[in-house]
Amino acid sequence: MSLWAVAPLLGLFTAMQTSLVGGIAVGPARPQLIVVWVVCWAVVRGRGEAMPWAILGGLLLDLVSAGPPGAHLLALALVTYAADLGHRFMQGSTILFAAVAVLAGSVAYGGVIVGINALVGSGVDPAGTLVAQVLPAAAYNLVLLVPIFYIQRRVDRRFPANVLPEW
Amino acid sequence: MRRGSQLRATSYLLAAVALAIVLLSVGQSLRIEAVRGAAQTVFEPLQAVFAAAGDGLGGFFGSIASIGGAEDENRRLRQQVGDLQRRLDSLEALRATDAQLRASLELRDSLNIHTVAAEVIGTDPDGMAQTITIHAGSGRGLKVGMAVLGQRGLVGRIVAAQRSSSQVRLISDPALPVNVVTSTDHVGGTLKVSQAHLLMEIPGSPIDLKIPTGEVLVTSGLGGNFPKGIPVAEVVKFEYKPAEVIQSGEVAPLDDLAHLEYVLVDMDFVPELAG
C-alpha cells in the first residue's frame, strides 16, 4: 500500500494521539495508535512495507512531542524492523503473533523513548516511567490491536502485495 | 502472504537510525522548535476537534458501565434509562466544565489580573514530557514566558506560541523549577521534580523548621520567571532532618495537572526570561 495513501491516516493518528487519547486513557495507560498500526502492518505485510510508515509516523510524533527530536523515529524504526522477526520461525500472520509483537514492541518502544530521555537529561525517572506508563500502555495497546489487526487483514486480502516472500 | 524485501527494510532502518542520530545530536541547532511550531499550526484544528471528542468518549464509557447495572428492567425501560443516563452524563460534564471555569475566574478575581482563557487541546503523545497544548496563541496576545493558571493556582509557563495555539510546560516538568515561599512564614524554596515526585527544596533553612501539612506555597517572584504571589502547591509531607544542608518536603500541585481542560494565561506578567 502506497505511503502517500497512508500518510494522511498517519497524520490523523498523530492528531488523535495528542488530543483524543487523553480522553480514553485509563489512569496512566495511554494507547499508542501509531505504534500499534505500524507494528501490525509489519506483521501482516512484513517490515519492507512497514518501515516507510514507521519513519513517517516517527517523524510526525517527533514534530508534536516536546521530547528529544528523533526519539520517536528511532524507537518506532527499531521496533518495526524487529516486529516480523518471528516470521523466521513461523509463517503466516495470526492474531497471537501480532499480540506478541505489539506487546513486546510497545515495551521496547517505551524503553527506547525513556532511555533517550534519560540520556539527554530530561529528568524522566526511567524505572518509574517504565512501570507506571510503559507497561500499562503496552497492555492498552493489546486492546487496540484487535480492531486494527482485523482492518489490516481485510486490506491485505483486498489489496495483496506484489512482492514475493523472501523465504 | 507476500513480504517486502529484506534489503529494502534494512536500508530504511539504517536511514532512520542515521536521521534520528542527526536529529538527537543537532536538532536544537537546526531550529527544530520552529519546525515543531509550524507542525503544531497544521495539527491544531484537528486537535481541537479530537479534544472535544475525547471528552465525549470519556462520558460514553461511563454511560456504558452504568447501563450494564440495569439488569432487571425490560428492553424499553433499559433504553430509556440509557438515554437519560447519557443526557445526565453530558449535563454532568457541562456542569464540571462550568465549575472549572468558575473556579478559574474566582482565582483570576482574587489575584486581580487580566487573563485569557484557553481550552487544553493536546498533550505530549507519550505523556512523558509534561507539556500541554492550549487553543490560544500569539493572535490573542500570548507570549513565550507567560504564566498559566488552572482552577486553583499556577500550572505552568508558555514555552512556544503559534498564531492560535501555544505549548505550556507544566510545573511537573523537571525542566521548570519554580521559586516559592510558604504562605504563612514566607520561608523560601524551590519546587523541583525528583524521581517523579514534586519536592520543595529549602537551602539554608532555619533550625527545627516546621512546615505543617496543607501549607500553601506561593510563587516568590525571585528569578523573574513567574509573577509573585500565585498559589502553586501544598505541602504533603515535611520532616526536618538536622544532618541535611538542604531540607526537602513532598508537595502536591493545587490543580490536577493530568486532567486540565481549561486554563487562564496571565496577560499582566511580562517575563524577564522567556522559553
Side-chain angles (χ1 to χ4, degrees), chain A residues 65-138:
Chain A
S65 166
H72 294 89
L73 169 63
L74 182 63
L76 199 52
L78 289 172
V79 160
T80 304
Y81 188 81
D84 75 344
L85 279 179
H87 284 120
R88 291 174 183 270
F89 312 103
M90 186 175 89
Q91 295 185 16
S93 62
T94 66
I95 188 79
L96 180 62
F97 182 22
V100 172
V102 164
L103 188 65
S106 301
V107 174
Y109 174 85
V112 171
I113 299 284
V114 168
I116 290 174
N117 272 280
L119 273 174
V120 302
S122 65
V124 168
D125 170 29
T129 305
L130 276 169
V131 171
Q133 285 185 254
V134 173
L135 294 180

Side-chain angles (χ1 to χ4, degrees), chain A residues 37-77:
Chain A
W37 184 269
V38 174
V39 170
C40 272
W41 196 244
V43 170
V44 169
R45 278 280 187 93
R47 64 180 82 168
E49 277 209 24
M51 283 302 292
W53 296 19
I55 292 172
L56 180 60
L59 284 172
L60 287 173
L61 288 172
D62 279 324
L63 282 176
V64 297
S65 166
H72 294 89
L73 169 63
L74 182 63
L76 199 52

Side-chain angles (χ1 to χ4, degrees), chain B residues 70-103:
Chain B
E71 292 179 0
D72 295 331
E73 295 176 342
N74 60 44
R75 188 161 52 88
R76 184 181 62 84
L77 283 174
R78 254 183 266 137
Q79 182 63 39
Q80 278 188 352
V81 166
D83 290 341
L84 286 169
Q85 188 66 49
R86 276 190 287 277
R87 287 172 62 188
L88 180 63
D89 286 339
S90 181
L91 288 170
E92 283 293 325
L94 285 173
R95 195 166 69 108
T97 301
D98 180 66
Q100 283 185 32
L101 290 171
R102 286 181 185 279

